[in-house]
Every structure is written in structure tokens, then in C-alpha cells.
Amino acid sequence: MRSTGDVLAALRKLMANLPNSQGSINAYIIPSEDAHQSEYLAKRDERRAFITGFDGSAGTAVVTENEALLWTDGRYYQQASKQMDTNWTLMRDGQPTTPTIDAWLAKTLKPGSKVGVDANLIPTRAWNPLQSSLKSAGCLLLTISPNLIDLIWKDQPVAPRNPIIPLSVEYAGRSVAEKLVAMREKMTDKRASVVVVSALDEIAWFLNLRGSDIDYNPVFFSYLLVTLDDVYFFVDESKLSSAVNDHFRANKVELKIRPYGDIKEALKSLAETCENRVWISLGSNYALSALIPEEKRFHEITPINLMKAVKNEVEAAGMRQCHIRDGVALCQYFAWLERCIKERRSVDEISGASQLEKFRSVQDKFMGLSFTTISASGPNGSIMHYHPLPETNRPITDKEMYLCDSGAQFLDGTTDVTRTLHFGTPTEEEITAFTHVLKGQIALGTAIFPRKVKGQFLDTIARKALWDVGLDYGHGTGHGIGHFLNVHEGPMGIGIRLMPDDPGLEENMFLSNEPGYYKDEHFGIRIEDIVQVIPTSIGDNFNGRGALCFRTITMCPIQTKLINVKLLTDKERNSLNRYHQTVWETLSPLLKKANDAETLAWLERETQPI
Ligand code: ZN
Ligand code: ZN
């Protein structure tokens, strides 16, 4: 564990005497995000991890003159308390007794105190309520520039400059020109002269481009300003190859390319001179929003966000296809793992994950992993977002449960799948818990619901079977997933918390279905599939509103050894058997073609009806 005493002392010194004669502040907020509100970060943007020592994907740090606190959610309680030293206090976000950051600051700070934050790193959605709650406590929220962490981070990595590649219409399904027409129609509808696009996956999707500036996320650092006449693309020009220029010519789109750092000046002048409103998402950083005259700000998720979430037919077909290839690799891995364990060959979480990557990487259209593989044996499985490190690496054996959550990027889609297995004899407790997780997973996977219902209302369908026996899990049930893009994407989701911009579920949205159960220090269970929202018909179809259901596109057996069949209803049993039959029918021809007799035999056994 790295000691944070020195960096905290350096930060507090700066807080007491801010650069550029900005005076002093009593508290400094360090958000997780970068200037684009990315969930996964480039190394240079891991400021919150640098100051706290905790490297999970979600959390906000607050440093005052005497205290250092980190707020993070249920996925990360264990990891954060393990990774942080005694300088830090863990604030368990989401627990009824934990105050929010706004409430804590308002209660703790004396009236007249000043709180600072880098406005580039805080979404407008978080800035507005924070500012008003501090104001009512007699405190002030200030934007501090430059970023204080950057000033104390001696070996901060440089900004990535990886090349950008075009994604052909063969995979993207819609040309940039078509997307632009659709975008401008929406702009006219909403009386917007300019749309500000700062989310990196939105820019990549809109321009049919992909990059690799952030590990696992095929995005590149840039901004986009779209007007009714022009498209301004703010990007480091050295990233653009001739292939990208050809791509735009072929797409019949002319972009005005500007240096990445010019966004603020350009936005300010466009916002001042444009006739109508400036469309900017509340998810965009406050530094951008603040450049727009208040009466011109139009806060709504960008039209791109919605267009991207509802996959077109080409994207949807690609998603299904890549899940089949991904399923082959996953089955090969589990069959291989079973043999290693049977033959007493040593295999551990790290070597297992790298073998899985090998199986994936030879699949057609493979572009990389979609996140760090969670390869977790025994008690490590109870750490929800665990990934193995040399110091935590455990052997995978027939003595304990093994949880594997992994995914890949393909040219035609993105995958994310979790399976939990036991290679020996599971305990009754493990079987009971697994069966209840599965019941919830089937309940959601087979649910029928009204068109446009918000994902939040589906969450308890997946939890009910667990709640019936007093069990639960501390994470969401489902997230959107990109098409050869970020593994987590909005605006919809299935969770206890309301997604602020959830437009309701629509045909051809893709989400995960991933309930779980975690027994601290013992084991973790999660079953995760990706599902496609498809139309169905029932009764009067909700008074004509339309009925939807899910189609599971993940292709990998669920270990029946871990199921207590007596706890399943006939409907649940039939549903699982049908799924296993589909998996067998889909994957077996490919395994036969690959002459992979070992995996074929494994798959045949694992898909037998129960
Ligand atoms: Zn996953
Ligand atoms: Zn997931």
C-alpha cells in the first residue's frame, strides 16, 4: 500500500496558497472523471486514484484541512478499504447512514468556507446542486485552475496520442452524413443552433471512428461542435491518418478540424453569436456549460446519445454475431480450465485470464478486451470489481467457486459476460445462493414489459428471488453496452437508482442482465448475459402501447451443477433448458468446424437438459 501522507501534505499546502493568486480553499473535491466524464480513464487522468490509492472506477475524494474522505458505492467498499491507508476515511455511498458529499460539506464546514473543484472534471449535473447546497450553508463553490493534483503529481503520464481508425459503414450501418441529417432535424425541432458533444463514445459513434486513447475503450480525446451549417472537430491532428480523411470524403462530410485545446474559445464565440439555443448535456463538464450565456443553455442529453443507444439493424446483427464468436472462446476457456484442474496443472487467476484472452484474440474481428478481466477465485469473487494482481492472485482449484467476468471488443460489437463455476463439489450454501441468483436472472430475462418503461422499474424483477430468502447484491442489474464502444453506456440502465436521462426501453437497445450475490470473504456469484430488447405481443399489448421482451444474445452455458433443481419452477427449468439448447445449436457447428473435440464434449455435457 502506497502511503498518501506526502501527497496529501503537498495538496493541503496548495489549498492554503492557491496558484495564480486565487487565495485559499478549505476543501478540495477530486472527482473520478476526466474532462469528458469518462468512466474508464487514460493513465494521466487517474487523479483520484493517485491521491487516494484506491483505483476502482467510481468514487469521489474530498480533502479538507484535517480530513481526507472517499465516497464510493457498494461495488467498491471492500476494495477501497483494502487499498487506502489510514489517512483516508471510506464513506459508504448508498448506505442510509452515509451523508452525501453535499450534505457532509454543508454540515462540516464553517460558514464562509470555500470549496474548490476543477470545473473541467465535474459534470454540470453535479455542480448545480452542490453549489446550491453549499450556498445555503453559507459556503462558496469555486472553480480552481489549474488542477491541483496535476501540480503535485510528479510523474503524471502524458496525454495519449494514439491513431484514429475509420469504421466502415459495413459495420456502422449508417453513414456520417445520414447521422448528421438526423441530428440537424432534432436540432431544428428543439430550436438549437449548436450541439456540444463532449462524451468520447458519442463522438466516436457519430463520426464512425474508433481510437485507443483509453484502455479497453475504443475512443479518442476530442470534442465536437455541430451547428446547422458546420461540424467542428477538436482533435490532435497527428492522430488522423490519410485513411480517416478518405473516410470523410467517402462519407461526404466536411469537418472543420481544430486543435483539441481550442474548444472553449470556439464554444464561447459560437454561443455568443448564434441565434438560438446551445444544446449541452447536463453530463458535460461545468467549465463548458459556464461558457454559454445562461438564457441560451439547453440542457438535455444530446441527440447522439439516444441514436447510439438504439442500435440500427447492422449494429444489432453485429452484436449478435460477435457474441457467438465470444461464446466459442469462453467455452474453450472453461473446457481448458476444467482439464487443467483435473490434471492438477497449476493455473491461477492471472494465467487463467491470459489464456482466456488468447482464445478470444484468435476469433475473427477481435480488437481487444472490453475491460480488465475479473478472474476471481474463492473469496476474491466477493470483491465485485476485483481484478487479479500478483499480490492477490489465487490458484483456481476444485475447492472453491470461480467467478469470471470478461468481455471483448470486435469490429462488429462489444461483449460482456459473467459465469460462476465450481470445478469440485459446491456447498449447499453456494448451490442455494446460485439458484436464487439464477431465478432472478431468468425472471428478468423472460420478463414482458410495456414499451418505453424505464429500466429502474425492472430492477426488482431480478432481485425478488433473492429478497425472498433475505439476500441481495450491491450493484445495478443491467447497463447499456456499446457497439464496438464502451462496455458501459447510457442513457438507459436497470438499477435501484433512477438513471436521470433514461428515455425508457426501446427495441434494439442492448443491456446486461447481471444479478449476483456476494458473501464477504467467502465467495461471489454473478450470472451476466447481454440481452437485446425485442418486440413481443401479449394481451392487448398494454392498451396499444406495445410490448417488449429480451432476447439473450450471450452464448455460454450456465453451470447446472450449481443449481438445486427443486428450487426452480417448471417455467424456469424450461427456460434454462431452452437457452442451453440454443447455445448448443449455435456453438456446436463452429466447434465442429474448428475440430475442437474437447470443447465440443464439454459443451454437450454442460447443455444437457435438467
Ligand atoms: Zn461484466
Ligand atoms: Zn456488465
Side-chain angles (χ1 to χ4, degrees):
M1 190 187 292
R2 183 171 59 89
S3 160
T4 57
D6 289 353
V7 289
L8 277 172
L11 176 62
R12 287 186 174 123
K13 213 171 140 193
L14 276 176
M15 287 163 57
N17 186 12
L18 292 164
N20 308 331
S21 324
Q22 292 174 94
S24 66
I25 45 173
N26 307 88
Y28 189 57
I29 301 174
I30 304 117
S32 271
E33 294 95 339
D34 60 14
H36 304 271
Q37 276 62 54
S38 308
E39 182 188 6
Y40 295 85
L41 301 174
K43 289 270 172 284
R44 67 162 281 115
D45 289 319
E46 292 180 351
R47 299 179 181 88
R48 193 259 301 138
F50 168 79
I51 193 76
T52 63
F54 160 63
D55 67 4
S57 73
T60 304
V62 174
V63 175
T64 67
E65 286 137 319
N66 314 306
E67 288 186 84
L69 311 100
L70 172 90
W71 274 259
T72 191
D73 64 66
R75 294 171 296 169
Y76 291 116
Y77 296 161
Q78 267 204 60
Q79 184 182 334
S81 56
K82 278 204 173 106
Q83 289 184 329
M84 295 195 302
D85 66 16
T86 52
N87 291 309
W88 286 88
T89 306
L90 171 63
M91 302 297 280
R92 293 164 191 263
D93 217 358
Q95 303 243 322
T97 51
T98 306
T100 62
I101 294 175
D102 308 20
W104 187 87
L105 285 169
K107 193 179 123 234
T108 312
L109 297 178
K110 291 194 196 88
S113 296
K114 287 180 273 180
V115 178
V117 67
D118 179 349
N120 293 294
L121 305 184
I122 183 166
T124 308
R125 173 177 290 121
W127 170 278
N128 289 343
L130 179 61
Q131 189 188 37
S132 41
S133 68
L134 286 174
K135 200 171 158 194
S136 51
C139 300
L140 213 56
L141 181 61
L142 301 173
T143 70
I144 303 298
S145 171
N147 187 289
L148 299 186
I149 303 297
D150 293 357
L151 295 178
I152 59 171
W153 192 350
K154 294 278 179 281
D155 49 358
Q156 184 177 25
V158 295
R161 290 191 163 181
N162 298 331
I164 295 173
I165 58 162
L167 186 70
S168 74
V169 177
E170 176 195 348
Y171 298 115
R174 258 177 121 186
S175 70
V176 183
E178 287 173 286
K179 291 178 183 180
L180 190 55
V181 169
M183 170 106 149
R184 286 188 171 138
E185 271 169 24
K186 300 232 163 67
M187 289 170 72
T188 309
D189 281 357
K190 304 270 183 176
R191 285 192 310 105
S193 302
V194 185
V195 178
V196 183
V197 193
S198 67
L200 301 182
D201 59 337
E202 292 184 24
I203 298 170
W205 181 85
F206 187 70
L207 296 179
N208 289 348
L209 296 176
R210 298 296 186 265
S212 57
D213 281 348
I214 299 181
D215 287 349
Y216 310 112
N217 297 258
V219 296
F220 45 87
F221 284 101
S222 57
Y223 291 99
L224 208 60
L225 292 179
V226 181
T227 71
L228 293 172
D229 305 305
D230 295 305
V231 180
Y232 297 89
F233 184 27
F234 300 84
V235 66
D236 179 345
E237 213 168 337
S238 69
K239 293 176 179 177
L240 304 176
S241 64
S242 61
V244 172
N245 294 323
D246 294 346
H247 159 79
F248 285 121
R249 256 194 303 279
N251 274 270
K252 299 200 174 51
V253 173
E254 232 179 277
L255 298 182
K256 296 205 150 84
I257 295 169
R258 301 281 183 270
Y260 176 74
D262 285 8
I263 172 71
K264 285 184 186 155
E265 225 167 285
L267 174 58
K268 195 162 183 271
S269 87
L270 274 176
E272 275 163 11
T273 54
C274 71
E275 197 181 337
N276 286 317
R277 304 190 288 182
V278 180
W279 191 335
I280 183 166
S281 160
L282 279 171
S284 284
N285 72 58
Y286 180 71
L288 292 178
S289 294
L291 295 169
I292 305 163
E294 244 178 298
E295 67 282 5
K296 280 191 174 175
R297 285 180 211 167
F298 171 51
H299 286 307
E300 199 170 89
I301 52 168
T302 71
I304 297 180
N305 198 304
L306 257 185
M307 289 195 267
K308 175 167 65 61
V310 179
K311 269 60 175 171
N312 64 48
E313 289 307 326
V314 173
E315 289 170 324
M319 288 294 279
R320 288 195 300 273
Q321 286 304 317
C322 74
H323 275 81
I324 295 171
R325 297 194 299 279
D326 200 62
V328 168
L330 205 57
C331 291
Q332 288 174 323
Y333 172 55
F334 290 140
W336 171 88
L337 199 52
E338 185 182 277
R339 176 160 52 83
C340 288
I341 292 166
K342 208 177 279 164
E343 292 173 358
R344 304 273 161 219
R345 278 160 52 191
S346 102
V347 51
D348 55 37
E349 295 168 342
I350 293 177
S351 64
S354 81
Q355 182 63 43
L356 172 55
E357 184 171 357
K358 268 186 210 146
F359 283 125
R360 278 200 165 104
S361 65
V362 296
Q363 290 295 326
D364 194 25
K365 303 183 177 66
F366 175 83
M367 298 298 286
L369 299 184
S370 56
F371 56 97
T372 320
T373 300
I374 300 173
S375 171
S377 193
N380 286 341
S382 70
I383 306 170
M384 274 165 240
H385 276 222
Y386 172 82
H387 58 264
L389 296 168
E391 59 270 28
T392 60
N393 193 16
R394 280 177 87 85
I396 305 171
T397 67
D398 57 2
K399 301 283 184 292
E400 51 191 23
M401 302 273 270
Y402 175 60
L403 184 155
C404 183
D405 186 350
S406 64
Q409 298 288 359
F410 296 93
L411 277 173
D412 52 352
T414 302
T415 68
D416 177 10
V417 46
T418 311
R419 289 293 179 263
T420 306
L421 300 97
H422 199 300
F423 295 97
T425 310
T427 65
E428 209 179 301
E429 185 188 19
E430 288 163 343
I431 289 175
T432 306
F434 185 91
T435 308
H436 283 92
V437 173
L438 176 66
K439 284 167 78 76
Q441 217 252 357
I442 292 174
L444 182 60
T446 57
I448 294 176
F449 46 90
R451 190 174 165 271
K452 290 290 245 177
V453 81
K454 289 186 196 291
Q456 189 193 22
F457 297 99
L458 302 183
D459 182 79
T460 42
I461 296 177
R463 286 181 207 268
K464 184 183 182 300
L466 285 158
W467 285 0
D468 283 347
V469 288
L471 305 180
D472 198 6
Y473 50 96
H475 57 77
T477 300
H479 55 80
I481 180 168
H483 169 266
F484 182 22
L485 266 178
N486 298 358
V487 72
H488 296 154
E489 76 168 30
M492 68 295 181
I494 302 170
I496 287 203
R497 271 184 268 189
L498 178 71
M499 303 278 290
D501 297 316
D502 189 343
L505 294 178
E506 279 185 60
E507 189 181 342
N508 274 356
M509 284 180 168
F510 286 74
L511 298 113
S512 68
N513 169 10
E514 52 176 312
Y517 170 67
Y518 309 87
K519 184 171 171 158
D520 275 4
E521 313 287 341
H522 287 85
F523 61 87
I525 294 165
R526 182 160 63 253
I527 307 171
E528 176 181 23
D529 290 328
I530 298 301
V531 293
Q532 174 181 8
V533 181
I534 58 168
T536 185
S537 186
I538 189 160
D540 72 349
N541 292 320
F542 306 105
N543 208 8
R545 179 173 166 180
L548 297 172
C549 66
F550 295 123
R551 170 204 276 165
T552 296
I553 64 164
T554 298
M555 290 292 149
C556 185
I558 288 165
Q559 198 179 41
T560 50
K561 182 205 277 186
L562 278 164
I563 300 170
N564 179 351
V565 183
K566 287 197 211 99
L567 293 175
L568 296 185
T569 63
D570 283 350
K571 199 180 151 208
E572 287 163 345
R573 202 161 46 85
N574 292 337
S575 159
L576 184 72
N577 287 340
R578 265 198 315 277
Y579 174 65
H580 278 156
Q581 193 183 341
T582 306
V583 172
W584 169 253
E585 285 167 3
T586 310
L587 299 189
S588 61
L590 295 169
L591 291 168
K592 277 177 199 153
K593 209 170 131 196
N595 283 322
D596 186 347
E598 177 178 56
T599 309
L600 192 66
W602 177 89
L603 183 68
E604 185 166 23
R605 194 194 69 213
E606 291 295 310
T607 52
Q608 287 303 309
I610 53 168

